[in-house]
Each structure stands twice: as C-alpha cells, then as structure tokens.
Amino acid sequence: MKKPPQDLSQLLHQQGAMPNLAEKAELLLHLDHYVKKVLTGPVIEQLKVANLRQGTLVIETTTAAWAARINFQKPKILQVLQAETLPMLTAIEVKVNPSLLMYAAKSKPAHNHISENAAAHIEALAEHTEGTLAIKLKRLAALASRSRQS
C-alpha cells in the first residue's frame, strides 16, 4: 500500500533540506522588501534579491541600465543593511536577468472608457454598416453610455 501524503507544514518543520530552504526563502523575501525600502524611485520595480551566499547579497535586475543605477547606490545599501539587518554582509553583487521582465510586468487595468464623441462616430459608422460588424459597433458605442452611468 502507498503511504498517505504528508502535510506540507510537517515537511517544513522536519529535519533536512526543506526547512532550510523555507527559512532561506523567507530571509530572501524579507531582504527583498528591506532593499526596496532603502532604495527609492522606479528602480524598486526592476530588482529582486536573488541570493545571499558567503556574505554577498546578490541582486538581480532587468537591464544593464538598471544595474548601473543600483551599482551607484551599492555603498548606501550595504551600509544600511550592515547597520540594521545583516552585520555579516560584506558585498553586494548586481546581476542582469532579463527574464525578470516577465514577472515585473504588472497587468494594467482595462480602460473601457469611450468618449461621447468617439461613441457618436462609432454609432454613425454602424448605421452605414451591415451584418455582425454593425451589431458589434453598436455594442461598442453603447460602452460610452455604460461608463457614464457608473
């Protein structure tokens, strides 16, 4: 017979590699938030704390331009982290990881707002069109009246 599956919380609290991985993941997440508090501006959306190994904090960023901006601020980051969080920190390494762009892209809210002027033009176009296109154009023009009501 197969063994029943173990609860994930039990796996995380047992001896072995899993608790160490979970602890390191929490530490990296904490450091990521802390580094983003130390830095200001749009650069915080372009970086991620990737690792902490042998006293070196590894920060990944999306492009070389952002890496250069972070490199200019490395002494400040290092000083603050040593003073407040990680006294054993000796260096910060900045690496470019273009695949972060996939994760950094935040979905923008859909803007379903059509001005009255645009709706009038679409409605006029729908009057001179036939078939399913005319129906779809009329629905599109109707969005203007819905957005004014809400």
Side-chain angles (χ1 to χ4, degrees), residues 2-147:
K2 289 184 177 180
K3 291 193 307 184
Q6 287 185 338
D7 185 41
L8 185 59
S9 63
Q10 287 177 337
L11 285 174
L12 291 176
H13 296 296
Q14 289 178 349
Q15 294 293 334
M18 281 296 275
N20 294 339
L21 286 174
E23 188 177 310
K24 186 163 185 178
E26 282 185 41
L27 174 66
L28 292 177
L29 187 62
H30 172 72
L31 288 173
D32 187 64
H33 290 300
Y34 198 80
V35 167
K36 289 178 179 180
K37 283 182 186 176
V38 172
L39 295 172
T40 57
V43 70
I44 62 173
E45 297 171 6
Q46 304 296 324
L47 67 86
K48 177 183 140 198
V49 172
N51 202 357
L52 176 65
R53 61 173 183 256
Q54 299 172 354
T56 302
L57 184 70
V58 180
I59 298 175
E60 290 182 341
T61 187
T62 54
T63 65
W66 288 115
R69 289 183 79 172
I70 295 168
N71 279 325
F72 285 128
Q73 296 186 34
K74 267 198 316 193
K76 173 188 170 188
I77 300 167
L78 185 61
Q79 181 182 14
V80 171
L81 287 175
Q82 284 174 335
E84 297 179 13
T85 307
L86 292 170
M88 81 287 204
L89 191 64
T90 57
I92 295 176
E93 184 179 337
V94 180
K95 292 187 172 190
V96 177
N97 182 359
S99 65
L100 282 180
L101 282 173
M102 293 187 302
Y103 305 112
K106 296 180 181 174
S107 60
K108 295 183 179 178
H111 297 288
N112 293 336
H113 303 291
I114 297 177
S115 68
E116 292 179 34
N117 189 23
H121 286 293
I122 294 171
E123 187 71 39
L125 180 62
E127 296 298 325
H128 299 298
T129 309
E130 298 177 359
T132 58
L133 180 59
I135 295 168
K136 290 178 182 179
L137 287 172
K138 287 180 183 178
R139 268 195 243 144
L140 182 62
L143 283 176
S145 63
R146 279 191 230 145
S147 64

